């Protein structure tokens, strides 16, 4: 039996009379690339905040990397990585300074920071870029660095929140090569994206509508289920049923 690294049962978040996340239930296996999709206002961000230990659920159950979402949030935070398209690196710090900063946040020792950062720079071919400010790097290099710093502590799970927004298709595909490599090394990938072609790269995809998970399966099976040929069509089929907006 495959190891479950994310397990949710009827996970719910309410804000007053508004139910942002409505009793979602799903599991994610170790090393899986799991796409978490939904239109703006569907509840994706609220759900991800709960899974990362940043927001307490109203009700329901969840375990992340084996830790209880209510009682062990600090252990969850040490077992995961996180990368956002909106904020992932400090432009005014150098490459080395960014690596050192994020490695420290993830709790690595000084010795581990030194060893891991040297290995990371070598892996990325950025040894001669270490003292350059991140603001001077091309976007593709920034992305690679941001992703690499998010997994420098070898987390069980990395949460990627719209990681390729505003990036050209070639750079996006290169970024997905990094995702496949991390998945092959046993890191579970939990990714949100607006690009439906990227949904095709996931092992399985869930689609949220109005706070509920309305579809969950492999991209191939979802296309069969809705008798369509692309994930775009699956998404639009479900999204047009949404009653709430942004």
């Amino acid at each position: 039996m495959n190891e479950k690294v994310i397990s949710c049962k009827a996970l719910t978040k309410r804000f007053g009379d508004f139910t942002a996340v409505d009793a979602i239930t799903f599991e994610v296996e170790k090393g899986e690339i799991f796409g978490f999709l939904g239109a703006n206002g569907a509840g994706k961000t609220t759900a991800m905040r709960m899974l990362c230990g940043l927001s307490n659920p109203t009700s329901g159950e969840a375990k992340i990397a084996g830790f209880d979402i209510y009682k062990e949030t600090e252990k969850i935070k040490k077992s995961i990585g996180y990368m956002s398209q909106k904020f992932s690196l400090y432009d005014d710090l150098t490459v080395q300074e960014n690596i050192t900063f994020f490695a420290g946040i993830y709790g690595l020792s000084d010795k581990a920071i030194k060893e891991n950062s040297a290995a990371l720079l070598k892996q990325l071919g950025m040894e001669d870029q270490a003292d350059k400010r991140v603001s001077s790097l091309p976007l593709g290099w920034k992305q690679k660095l941001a992703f690499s710093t998010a997994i420098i502590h070898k987390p069980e799970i990395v949460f990627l929140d719209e990681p390729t927004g505003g990036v050209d298709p070639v750079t996006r595909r290169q970024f997905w090569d990094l995702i496949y490599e991390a998945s092959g090394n046993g890191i579970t990938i939990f990714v949100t994206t607006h690009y439906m072609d990227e949904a095709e790269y996931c092992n399985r995809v869930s689609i949220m509508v109005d706070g509920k998970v309305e579809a969950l399966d492999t991209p191939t099976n979802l296309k069969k289920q809705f008798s369509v040929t692309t994930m775009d069509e699956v998404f639009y089929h479900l999204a047009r049923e949404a009653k709430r907006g942004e």
Side-chain angles (χ1 to χ4, degrees):
M1 184 175 179
N2 290 333
E3 181 184 348
K4 312 294 184 188
V5 293
I6 299 177
S7 179
C8 297
K9 185 176 181 182
L11 196 64
T12 300
K13 181 70 174 183
R14 297 188 187 92
F15 298 96
D17 295 332
F18 177 69
T19 302
V21 177
D22 192 356
I24 62 173
T25 298
F26 63 89
E27 294 179 328
V28 181
E29 296 180 355
K30 181 177 177 62
E32 187 173 16
I33 301 173
F34 188 83
F36 198 62
L37 311 181
N40 290 330
K44 300 191 309 299
T45 299
T46 302
M48 184 179 280
R49 284 181 58 80
M50 288 191 286
L51 298 178
C52 290
L54 299 174
S55 178
N56 289 325
T58 304
S59 61
E61 304 170 14
K63 283 193 173 183
I64 311 299
F67 300 116
D68 185 87
I69 203 168
Y70 294 95
K71 303 174 184 176
E72 300 175 294
T73 54
E74 290 307 310
K75 290 180 179 177
I76 288 173
K77 290 173 189 175
K78 290 179 180 178
S79 301
I80 65 174
Y82 178 80
M83 176 185 168
S84 168
Q85 179 254 332
K86 295 175 183 175
F87 175 80
S88 52
L89 294 171
Y90 287 99
D91 274 350
D92 55 342
L93 296 182
T94 66
V95 169
Q96 181 65 66
E97 287 168 342
N98 267 282
I99 294 171
T100 301
F101 175 75
F102 284 103
I105 283 180
Y106 286 127
L108 294 186
S109 66
D110 289 345
K111 180 182 178 183
I113 290 173
K114 186 176 180 180
E115 292 174 352
N116 290 20
S117 62
L120 190 155
L121 288 168
K122 184 176 181 180
Q123 178 188 350
L124 293 176
M126 295 181 72
E127 291 111 322
D128 59 344
Q129 311 285 322
D131 295 325
K132 288 189 176 180
R133 287 192 179 187
V134 163
S135 58
S136 70
L137 298 178
L139 184 55
W141 283 105
K142 284 185 183 180
Q143 269 203 317
K144 291 176 184 178
L145 181 61
F147 181 74
S148 298
T149 56
I151 61 172
I152 194 170
H153 57 308
K154 299 179 174 60
E156 290 218 35
I157 307 156
V158 62
F159 289 88
L160 306 176
D161 191 8
E162 306 285 351
T164 57
V167 178
D168 68 84
V170 173
T171 305
R172 281 201 287 128
R173 193 65 188 86
Q174 291 173 343
F175 185 80
W176 274 87
D177 289 338
L178 295 177
I179 290 177
Y180 280 128
E181 183 179 351
S183 174
N185 290 330
I187 297 176
T188 302
I189 313 293
F190 189 99
V191 58
T192 70
T193 179
H194 280 317
Y195 298 110
M196 289 303 109
D197 61 319
E198 292 187 345
E200 303 272 4
Y201 305 152
C202 299
N203 300 125
R204 285 189 305 144
V205 170
S206 74
I207 300 177
M208 286 188 74
V209 178
D210 292 345
K212 298 180 180 181
V213 173
E214 291 292 349
L216 199 170
D217 211 328
T218 65
T220 299
N221 287 345
L222 286 173
K223 287 182 286 187
K224 287 180 181 176
Q225 179 184 337
F226 291 97
S227 301
V228 295
T229 57
T230 68
M231 283 302 298
D232 258 323
E233 293 169 289
V234 173
F235 183 78
Y236 289 132
H237 179 92
L238 290 165
R240 67 169 175 252
E241 304 298 324
K243 295 180 173 60
R244 69 194 197 199
E246 296 183 28

